[in-house]
């Protein structure tokens, strides 16, 4: 019987795969630019043998800063983002917020939690998805707002990658969150054009909201 892969083993395996992929992309970009390994290595400040190991995915010790510098020299961007993996840790406040939102929905709508994006091997998931006749609406919940620009970019990427146009961002009704939303309103209006009350009203009547909305509960 197969045993469940340990998280440490999974992390090391994914790291090796990532390094191999990055190394191959570096090699292709370097050749396309007509550069030798020595030229790139000298610009980065490493040996050409070290660059060779990186291109072959063998430099498991390489610093992220070194990878980003190589990418920059080759005209590439090497972003680093973190996504929830497996069963995320939910605090009681977030669970209560989701339950509060669900209580506003009519009985005819479906409710699913922790719904993965529709991309094979993508580890991201929606906190919940509301379903009606012929439509689904993803929902993410935030109990404390911090960097709203980063949050908006994250949600926009999830919508794009999931092939979805509309979502609800649930926000806990706290003094901090209302202040953050008030200050960030000009930056958020393009991504969340539908007022929260309008979204709740449409859902209450069994309809899918016509645009993404921030709902404060």
């Amino acid at each position: 019987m197969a045993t469940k892969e340990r998280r440490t083993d999974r992390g090391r395996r994914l790291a090796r795969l990532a390094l191999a992929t990055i190394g191959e992309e570096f090699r292709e970009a370097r050749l396309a630019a007509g550069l030798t390994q020595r030229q790139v290595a000298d610009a980065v400040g490493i040996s050409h043998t070290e660059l060779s190991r990186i291109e072959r995915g063998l430099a498991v010790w390489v610093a992220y800063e070194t990878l980003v510098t190589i990418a920059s020299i080759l005209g590439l961007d090497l972003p680093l983002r973190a996504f929830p993996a497996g069963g995320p840790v939910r605090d009681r406040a977030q669970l209560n917020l989701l339950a509060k939102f669900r209580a506003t929905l009519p009985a005819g709508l479906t409710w699913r939690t922790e719904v993965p994006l529709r991309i094979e091997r993508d580890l991201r998931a929606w906190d919940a998805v509301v379903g009606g006749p012929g439509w689904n609406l993803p929902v993410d919940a935030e109990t404390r707002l911090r960097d709203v620009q980063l949050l908006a970019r994250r949600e926009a990427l999830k919508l794009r990658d999931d092939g979805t146009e509309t979502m609800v961002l649930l926000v806990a009704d706290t003094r901090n969150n209302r202040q953050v939303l008030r200050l960030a309103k000009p930056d958020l209006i393009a991504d969340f054009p539908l007022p929260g009350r309008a979204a709740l009203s449409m859902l209450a009547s069994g309809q899918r909201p016509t645009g993404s909305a921030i709902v404060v509960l």
Side-chain angles (χ1 to χ4, degrees):
M1 181 180 294
T3 58
K4 185 176 182 180
E5 184 179 31
R6 294 188 304 173
R7 292 192 178 188
T8 52
D9 293 336
R10 176 179 178 276
R12 293 188 181 99
R13 176 176 59 81
L14 292 178
R16 289 193 296 269
L17 288 174
L19 287 173
T21 300
I22 292 168
E24 180 62 26
E25 290 178 352
F26 283 174
R27 180 178 181 277
E28 291 179 358
R30 178 179 60 78
L31 293 175
L35 298 172
T36 66
Q37 287 184 338
R38 190 175 296 276
Q39 287 174 317
V40 175
D42 288 346
V44 178
I46 60 177
S47 68
H48 73 280
T49 55
E50 177 74 349
L51 181 62
S52 175
R53 295 189 196 98
I54 292 171
E55 288 188 349
R56 288 178 288 152
L58 302 178
V60 296
W61 53 80
V62 65
Y64 179 66
E65 182 179 2
T66 300
L67 294 177
V68 173
T69 304
I70 296 172
S72 180
I73 290 170
L74 296 174
L76 303 173
D77 287 328
L78 187 63
L80 179 66
R81 296 181 297 175
F83 301 109
V89 177
R90 301 296 182 194
D91 59 29
R92 185 175 297 276
Q94 189 174 32
L95 293 174
N96 288 342
L97 179 58
L98 288 166
K100 191 174 182 180
F101 177 70
R102 185 182 184 184
T104 68
L105 303 175
L109 299 182
T110 61
W111 175 264
R112 294 177 293 153
T113 57
E114 292 306 320
V115 180
L117 268 63
R118 292 175 291 184
I119 301 178
E120 186 178 0
R121 297 183 182 179
D122 196 310
L123 300 178
R124 292 171 294 172
W126 299 108
D127 291 337
V129 169
V130 180
W135 58 266
N136 288 298
L137 178 72
V139 178
D140 271 346
E142 293 289 329
T143 56
R144 181 173 177 80
L145 294 176
R146 295 177 179 84
D147 188 337
V148 292
Q149 291 182 335
L150 178 61
L151 174 62
R153 288 196 297 270
R154 185 190 74 189
E155 300 298 346
L157 283 173
K158 289 176 71 174
L159 284 171
R160 183 201 67 185
D161 295 344
D162 200 36
T164 306
E165 296 181 355
T166 304
M167 68 164 294
V168 163
L169 177 62
L170 276 182
V171 177
D173 189 0
T174 66
R175 181 178 179 181
N176 170 78
N177 289 346
R178 285 195 173 276
Q179 181 178 8
V180 171
L181 288 175
R182 184 168 60 253
L183 294 174
K185 185 176 181 179
D187 298 321
L188 295 174
I189 192 68
D191 293 317
F192 301 95
L194 187 67
R197 290 184 178 180
L200 287 175
S201 177
M202 296 184 73
L203 286 168
S205 62
Q207 301 178 45
R208 188 177 192 269
T210 55
S212 292
I214 296 177
V215 173
V216 180
L217 288 178

